[in-house]
């Protein structure tokens, strides 16, 4: 597993998608930020856990992400399986990924990560339809993956939306500086959120 250094920010549920994109684009333009690549992709997330929600209790995420198109340069396979452990928004967060063209059984999923003992008896417990507006930017020599993510329930209702900034390559201090600039330049449009997406998905489902 590798270190994942990123910061997550909540976007108010009543913030319209088009308006938020306009805010982001205007900030990048005004601050003369170099955008290497921009994409918009729709995905489907399935979250795995035990009957006792061991992953949720530990602050882990075990999930399958579908909706890739590797023949057109989108992903390294049809499915990506992710394992995330550690506290969000800190250098202690670790992430493992497994790409495949085959939909795996829960037992096959956990066999690819160092979590067999803890979540051996897992199954799909939640899902979400997602949209990701991604901007790969360069900030003082540091490469940052910024993603505006919208998560929807199976009925189409918006569960939540976030802005996520992840260090791809370079200086972690510049990631901090970029996030500070982004929040200030946007007029504090969003606020930091210290929980993983899986937790937010489950919070929404349990509130229904």
């Amino acid at each position: 597993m590798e270190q994942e250094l990123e910061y997550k920010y909540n976007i108010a549920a009543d913030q319209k998608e088009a308006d938020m994109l306009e805010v982001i684009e205007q900030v990048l333009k005004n601050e003369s930020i170099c955008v290497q690549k921009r994409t918009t992709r729709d995905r489907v997330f399935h979250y795995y856990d035990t009957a006792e929600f061991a992953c949720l209790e530990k602050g882990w995420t075990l999930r399958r992400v579908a909706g890739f198109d590797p023949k057109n340069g989108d992903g390294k396979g049809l499915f990506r399986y992710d394992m995330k452990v550690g506290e969000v928004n800190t250098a202690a967060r670790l992430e493992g990924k497994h790409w495949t063209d085959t939909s795996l059984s829960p037992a096959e999923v956990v066999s690819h990560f160092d979590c067999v003992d803890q979540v051996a008896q897992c199954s799909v417990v939640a899902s979400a339809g997602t949209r990701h507006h991604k901007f790969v930017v360069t900030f003082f020599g540091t490469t940052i993956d910024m993603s505006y993510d919208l998560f929807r329930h199976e009925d189409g209702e918006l569960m939540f939306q976030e802005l996520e900034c992840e260090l791809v390559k370079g200086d972690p201090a510049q990631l901090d500086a970029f996030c500070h600039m982004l929040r200030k330049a946007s007029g504090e449009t969003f606020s930091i959120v210290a929980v993983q997406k899986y937790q937010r998905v489950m919070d929404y489902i349990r509130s229904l």
Side-chain angles (χ1 to χ4, degrees), residues 50-117:
T50 66
E52 297 77 24
F53 292 96
C55 286
L56 193 66
E57 290 300 316
K58 294 175 181 289
W60 293 0
T61 291
L62 182 61
R63 71 188 183 195
R64 180 184 74 184
V65 185
F68 295 96
D69 184 9
K71 291 183 179 179
N72 290 305
D74 177 26
K76 301 177 183 178
L78 295 176
F79 304 100
R80 193 188 75 217
Y81 291 85
D82 302 330
M83 181 73 191
K84 295 172 181 271
V85 303
E87 188 177 351
V88 300
N89 296 338
T90 73
R93 188 74 166 172
L94 298 176
E95 177 182 41
K97 297 180 181 180
H98 176 70
W99 290 92
T100 177
D101 289 330
T102 305
S103 180
L104 304 179
S105 69
E108 290 172 321
V109 173
V110 299
S111 71
H112 288 285
F113 303 106
D114 297 328
C115 60
V116 178
D117 293 340

Side-chain angles (χ1 to χ4, degrees), residues 153-201:
H153 190 251
E154 59 187 15
D155 61 8
E157 287 296 314
L158 180 69
M159 291 193 280
F160 61 88
Q161 46 185 349
E162 290 184 358
L163 187 67
E164 190 175 275
C165 298
E166 179 177 357
L167 180 67
V168 177
K169 182 176 64 175
D171 185 357
Q174 293 300 338
L175 174 64
D176 292 345
F178 176 80
C179 291
H180 177 75
M181 175 279 298
L182 192 64
R183 290 190 66 197
K184 184 177 180 180
S186 67
E188 306 291 334
T189 304
F190 35 83
S191 56
I192 196 162
V193 58
V195 297
Q196 60 179 339
K197 288 184 171 71
Y198 173 38
Q199 178 73 62
R200 301 193 73 181
V201 168

Side-chain angles (χ1 to χ4, degrees), residues 100-140:
T100 177
D101 289 330
T102 305
S103 180
L104 304 179
S105 69
E108 290 172 321
V109 173
V110 299
S111 71
H112 288 285
F113 303 106
D114 297 328
C115 60
V116 178
D117 293 340
Q118 295 92 336
V119 293
Q121 304 300 317
C122 71
S123 61
V124 174
V125 296
S127 61
T130 69
R131 173 165 291 174
H132 309 271
H133 299 283
K134 286 186 172 288
F135 302 77
V136 179
V137 305
T138 301
F139 186 75
F140 291 99

